Each structure stands twice: as C-alpha cells, then as structure tokens.
Amino acid sequence: MLYLDNSATTKVAPEALDAMLPYLQEEYGNPASKYYTLAENSKNAVKQARNQVAAIVGCDPDEVIFTSGATESNNMVLKGIADYYENQNQTIITTKTEHPSIIDTCEYLESKGFHIIYLDVDKFGRVNPNKVKEAIENYHPLLVSIIWGNNELGSLNDIEKIAHYCAINNVFFHTDATQVIGKIHVDISEHPGIRFLSLSSHKIHGPKGIGACIIRKENETLQTKITPLIHGGGQEFEYRSGTLAVHNIVGFGKAAELAHLNLSTTKEHLEQLEKSLTDILINQFKDKISFNNDQQFKIPGLLSLQFKGVNNELLLKKLSNHMALSTGSACSSGKPSHVLSAAGFTQNEIQQTVRISMSKYINVDDLDFFKSLK
C-alpha cells in the first residue's frame, strides 16, 4: 500500500518507537512523584523531550506545554484567552479556512457573546495580511488566530507580516502550525508577535495522542495568563493538569529531534517527490486534471487536485487496495470542504478533489504506480 495521506497522520519513526518502549515497561514512574529513581527518570525524560520540542519551534523549554494534540491546543488558547480576558475586548479575528478545531471553537465562543470576524481568503486559501492589519486597526481585537500552513491546499500564510502587525498593536496572536513543523523553517524567536502556537506529534512521525501548545512568556520570568482548559493537579506549569503520558512525550520529543535535525533533507526530498508526481500526473492525465494548490509558497509534498468528471469518494474507494488518499481534512470527514468552499471552488469541483500528501518514507520510484492509472 502506498500511503499518501500524511497530512492526516504519519508513520511513527522507528527511533521514536524505540525511545518510547522503556517508558511503557521499565521506566513507568510518575514524573510528578518525588525522590525515588523511577519518578526522577521520568521527570528527566520529560525535561529532555521539552527541550527537543522547544528546539524545533525556537522557544524556551518552559514555554512548551504538553497536550493531547493540536486540537486541544487550539481549544486551550481560544477558550483560555476568551475566559481570562473576557472583560476586555471580546473580538477575535480568524479566517474562513482554519482547521475545524478553530472554526468550531469560534462558533462556540460566538454563542457566549464573543464577536468573531472570519476574514475572506484568496483562491489558494490564503488571507491577505493587509486585510488582517486593517481588521486589527478597526477592531482592536483580543486575539488573532490564523493557520500557518493550510491542511487541505497546503498554502502558507504570511505569518511574519501578520505576527508583526499583532506585535505593534499589542494583540495576542496564535497560529496553528501543525502542518508546517518539520517541513519548513519555523523559529518563533524571530517573530515576537507569535504568542501562541499549536502542533501535533503524529504529523512529524511521532505517536498519536500527544502535542504541544507553545505559550510565550510575557518576559523572561512572567508567564502569560490564560484560564486552563483542564484543572486539577497543576502539572505543565499549571496550564494543564493531569498525569503526563511520559511514553508519548518521549516519542514526541524524539520525533521533534529527528525532524529538526533532518529539516533541510526532508524538505528537499518532499519537493523532489512533489515535482516527480506533478510531472507524472500531467503526463498521464493532461487536461483531465486540474491543480487547486499554488505552485509556490506552500507546504512541500502536499498536492490538491481535481480529477475532472470523477467523484472523489468513488475514486478513493477504487484505489483503496493500492494507496491511501483523502478528499481533505481528516477532522471534517463526511462534510463538504469548508476550505475549498471559502477559496471559491464550486461543489462540483470540491467533489472531484483529492489531497495527496507525502512523507520522507516515500521513494520517487514508489510514485510510478500513478503511471498505470487511466
């Protein structure tokens, strides 16, 4: 089976699995316990993983808050900011092409009286940073939340400019960076305006059920205040309570370390795969296909295309014994793509669209299978 749904989830790297196993068997201590060796070993393993995750995003280790994944991190930021600062401006700015965990959370906050502004996007799903600037200046919002790289079209938003506009206007800025980590250069120390960032382990060849919310400090010593999503034992610097899943955290840390070390080679390999597959598809299908994604300023290795006149669900079922593809986001399964709709695609075009997302474990020769399709 040729696995081409890596934007949904990825294979766990063997090195990450090997790192996890001791913490499922021998090293099973609770890092919140004290003094005895099993607890200290787990505590040190979590510390190492926190350093590894911090390195791949360019933040301080104590700004890494472990969560169950980006969906929780997104909820944590939006609900936590909205609750803690509810007596301030209740306006939140986002876009129409965000991940469902942002869109649905914004709709929930709307029901609680918050004013949500959903900015329009271009044909590739990108927001115009000048429109963000204009909205910030007009509404002086509490929070801006804009995805870094779109999970369906692969388009990259101009996070540098948006972060700058938020910084100079003293507005909280959050970005969901789930799809870009390990594929493009990310260093939030270069962008002081980014105050919050979400990411998931299972998108970078780590285990499922673990991710992080990056919460930048106000200054070197002062934490940014938000209301916790989960109350209890005060773990994770009192941002998120609950016994830490040490094995998952260790696997996440190892996956982050590998992704950081191999970033340039991974990016180059994904670009090579994308070019090879694009050439094969054009040669094989010619005018029977149409690409939805931009050819530049995008996540490497992610393609969105239409097979004209072919229903995408029927196509996926026909190919299911040979390859794994998707019609779009795994988090909105069964629903028409709100991303493609917001980008201006018709329902017919949406129903012809498939997403192909590749990984470092795919070889160029593996793509020759597409040459046999008609």
Side-chain angles (χ1 to χ4, degrees), residues 2 6 23 41 46 50 65 73-74 89 109 122 148 150 154 158 174 183-184 254 297 309-310 331 347 367:
L2 179 57
N6 289 278
Y23 296 92
N41 289 349
V46 170
R50 206 182 299 277
I65 312 304
S73 298
N74 289 342
N89 191 321
L109 292 174
D122 66 15
W148 197 314
N150 188 272
D158 193 337
H174 164 258
K183 298 172 188 172
I184 67 168
K254 190 62 178 179
F297 311 116
V310 179
C331 294
Q347 284 303 305
L367 303 175

Side-chain angles (χ1 to χ4, degrees), residues 23 27-32 37-47 246 250:
Y23 296 92
E27 300 291 350
Y28 48 82
N30 187 331
T37 303
L38 283 176
E40 291 302 313
N41 289 349
S42 291
K43 191 178 300 180
N44 289 333
V46 170
K47 181 179 180 180
V246 178
V250 168

Side-chain angles (χ1 to χ4, degrees), residues 272-311:
Q272 181 186 15
L273 290 173
E274 181 178 323
K275 183 181 185 308
S276 295
L277 182 54
T278 299
D279 290 344
I280 290 171
L281 290 169
I282 291 173
N283 183 64
Q284 189 72 10
F285 297 102
K286 298 181 174 60
D287 59 353
K288 295 180 181 178
I289 61 168
S290 175
F291 290 91
N292 299 330
N293 54 267
D294 195 0
Q295 303 302 311
Q296 297 178 315
F297 311 116
K298 65 180 294 294
I299 299 169
L302 193 160
L303 295 173
S304 174
L305 68 151
Q306 300 172 44
F307 285 88
K308 297 180 181 180
V310 179
N311 180 274

Side-chain angles (χ1 to χ4, degrees), residues 49-321:
R50 206 182 299 277
N51 288 332
Q52 291 165 324
V53 173
I56 199 173
V57 296
C59 70
D60 294 338
D62 60 355
E63 295 174 325
V64 176
I65 312 304
F66 289 117
T67 67
S68 64
T71 288
E72 182 188 331
S73 298
N74 289 342
N75 274 262
M76 180 180 182
V77 172
L78 270 66
K79 292 175 181 175
I81 290 292
D83 183 83
Y84 194 88
Y85 301 93
E86 64 178 345
N87 293 326
Q88 298 184 22
N89 191 321
Q90 293 195 336
T91 298
I92 294 173
I93 295 172
T94 189
T95 78
K96 294 179 179 178
T97 49
E98 298 298 308
H99 187 270
S101 60
I102 294 291
I103 297 290
D104 291 356
T105 302
C106 284
E107 290 176 354
Y108 164 78
L109 292 174
E110 276 188 298
S111 74
K112 298 297 182 182
F114 282 81
H115 176 214
I116 312 297
I117 298 171
Y118 301 92
L119 296 177
D120 290 327
V121 295
D122 66 15
K123 64 180 181 179
F124 299 121
R126 294 192 192 96
V127 67
N128 185 331
N130 291 326
K131 294 295 183 181
V132 180
K133 178 177 182 286
E134 183 180 312
I136 290 172
E137 292 172 347
N138 288 340
Y139 295 97
H140 306 289
L142 174 62
L143 174 71
V144 173
S145 180
I146 293 176
I147 199 166
W148 197 314
N150 188 272
N151 54 309
E152 293 193 37
L153 287 166
S155 306
L156 297 173
N157 278 308
D158 193 337
I159 294 300
E160 181 177 359
K161 281 187 179 179
I162 295 169
H164 173 69
Y165 295 146
C166 289
I168 62 177
N169 287 280
N170 197 28
V171 171
F172 283 130
F173 178 46
H174 164 258
T175 184
D176 181 348
T178 307
Q179 294 291 342
V180 301
I181 299 295
K183 298 172 188 172
I184 67 168
H185 172 73
V186 172
D187 186 348
I188 61 175
S189 68
E190 299 172 355
H191 309 297
I194 299 177
R195 298 296 302 279
F196 307 91
L197 181 146
S198 302
L199 68 155
S200 277
S201 163
H202 74 107
K203 308 292 187 173
I204 58 169
H205 304 286
K208 297 176 183 65
I210 187 72
C213 181
I214 309 302
I215 303 180
R216 305 287 295 280
K217 297 190 292 287
E218 294 277 359
N219 54 46
E220 289 185 2
T221 59
L222 185 62
Q223 287 182 316
T224 297
K225 300 292 186 182
I226 71 170
T227 302
L229 194 63
I230 301 174
H231 295 83
Q235 289 90 343
E236 291 304 278
F237 311 101
E238 299 191 355
Y239 281 122
R240 184 190 190 264
S241 295
T243 302
L244 298 181
V246 178
H247 58 294
N248 274 348
I249 289 171
V250 168
F252 181 18
K254 190 62 178 179
E257 178 186 60
L258 294 170
H260 190 212
L261 289 173
N262 300 321
L263 175 62
S264 59
T265 56
T266 297
K267 183 174 181 289
E268 183 179 333
H269 182 61
L270 290 174
E271 289 171 344
Q272 181 186 15
L273 290 173
E274 181 178 323
K275 183 181 185 308
S276 295
L277 182 54
T278 299
D279 290 344
I280 290 171
L281 290 169
I282 291 173
N283 183 64
Q284 189 72 10
F285 297 102
K286 298 181 174 60
D287 59 353
K288 295 180 181 178
I289 61 168
S290 175
F291 290 91
N292 299 330
N293 54 267
D294 195 0
Q295 303 302 311
Q296 297 178 315
F297 311 116
K298 65 180 294 294
I299 299 169
L302 193 160
L303 295 173
S304 174
L305 68 151
Q306 300 172 44
F307 285 88
K308 297 180 181 180
V310 179
N311 180 274
N312 53 12
E313 296 284 353
L314 294 178
L315 179 61
L316 262 57
K317 289 177 182 178
K318 181 179 179 181
L319 296 174
S320 60
N321 290 331

